Amino acid sequence: MKISQRHAWTLSVEEAIAIQEQMQAEVITSDQLQQPVQYVAGVDMGFEADGTISRAAVAVLSFPELELQETSLARRPTSFPYIPGFLSFREIPAVLDALEKIKITPDLILCDGQGIAHPRRFGIACHLGVIVNILSIGVAKSLLVGKHEELPDTRGSWQPLIHKGEIVGAVLRTRVGVKPVYVSSGHRISLPTAIDYVLRCTPKYRLPETTRIADKLASDR
């Protein structure tokens, strides 16, 4: 993939907030699927050398078969500290390096993090989706913002995630008897469509196959 860098990555928190607020205006939360989804990708991060080196992994799977087609890894010095709400500035630089190595351009990217379910409606899935202009979904393991009603213990059940009176995502049960995931639109996809794709990418486990494979790649030494 050829990727254009939109901004610098060594920033102050104030500069990062300004970028989030500016780029959030570009986020599209309606369906922009121009062709059937044939390839889905997962991106995930690991860290080495006490967090000073970022290790990004990308896994591209066929869809709907979910068969692994391609992987890539990239390492670079970590340039932004861990601060909740600013995950993208810490992780995306290495993710972009890994995406540049792949030959198959995915139609949809599932991110291990938030989309618009974020204090400034610009989580990592939004940030990455806008930069690469690919449909993206945030599939987070934990809640960042919002509240929701109790969720039935049935696969496919979900409740709206509400923050400041706005539906920003969904808490989704992907497997009976395990914790739910938190789904939100990243870029160029609506929440109902995002939920559908997440369920189709989680045939057996709590997390999407894309995330599980990318996580293993990012974590292995």
Side-chain angles (χ1 to χ4, degrees):
M1 287 178 59
K2 295 292 185 181
I3 297 171
S4 298
Q5 298 286 340
R6 292 287 301 271
H7 55 78
W9 294 101
T10 302
L11 303 160
S12 67
V13 170
E14 292 75 19
E15 290 170 328
I17 290 173
I19 287 171
Q20 288 178 331
E21 292 176 343
Q22 178 183 4
M23 293 182 69
Q24 199 283 327
E26 300 178 44
V27 173
I28 298 169
T29 55
S30 59
D31 291 327
Q32 303 284 315
L33 290 79
Q34 298 175 348
Q35 62 185 25
V37 172
Q38 294 181 293
Y39 298 102
V40 293
V43 298
D44 206 352
M45 290 291 301
F47 292 92
E48 302 173 359
D50 294 323
T52 60
I53 300 296
S54 299
R55 172 179 170 140
V58 174
V60 181
L61 282 63
S62 62
F63 185 85
E65 300 85 5
L66 302 179
E67 295 175 351
L68 183 62
Q69 304 294 308
E70 186 179 9
T71 64
S72 71
L73 282 170
R75 292 178 176 85
R76 69 150 59 193
T78 306
S79 58
F80 199 90
Y82 174 76
I83 305 173
F86 297 91
L87 182 69
S88 61
F89 293 94
R90 182 173 172 84
E91 298 193 353
I92 284 182
V95 169
L96 294 179
D97 290 346
L99 284 170
E100 284 188 322
K101 294 182 177 183
I102 63 175
K103 297 178 180 178
I104 300 172
T105 300
D107 304 297
L108 173 65
I109 299 175
L110 280 69
C111 296
D112 182 24
Q114 310 292 344
I116 66 166
H118 179 275
R120 287 168 294 283
R121 306 295 184 260
F122 199 69
I124 189 170
C126 301
H127 204 157
L128 183 61
V130 169
I131 288 175
V132 300
N133 195 30
I134 292 176
L135 278 69
S136 59
I137 302 171
V139 189
K141 296 187 285 288
S142 59
L143 181 68
L144 180 61
V145 297
K147 296 181 179 181
H148 59 85
E149 298 295 330
E150 186 175 348
L151 189 65
D153 193 20
T154 306
R155 171 176 159 79
S157 63
W158 64 277
Q159 289 287 344
L161 184 61
I162 300 172
H163 182 241
K164 295 183 177 180
E166 177 184 3
I167 296 176
V168 296
V171 52
L172 172 66
R173 185 83 67 190
T174 55
R175 187 181 179 192
V176 174
V178 299
K179 294 179 180 180
V181 295
Y182 300 88
V183 177
S184 55
S185 301
H187 186 47
R188 297 176 55 198
I189 195 164
S190 68
L191 180 59
T193 303
I195 292 170
D196 178 60
Y197 275 106
V198 171
L199 282 172
R200 293 170 74 182
C201 289
T202 54
K204 296 180 180 179
Y205 302 99
R206 178 194 179 204
L207 298 177
E209 291 300 294
T210 45
T211 300
R212 294 180 66 251
I213 295 171
D215 175 72
K216 188 174 187 302
L217 288 167
S219 301
D220 284 351
R221 292 293 183 265

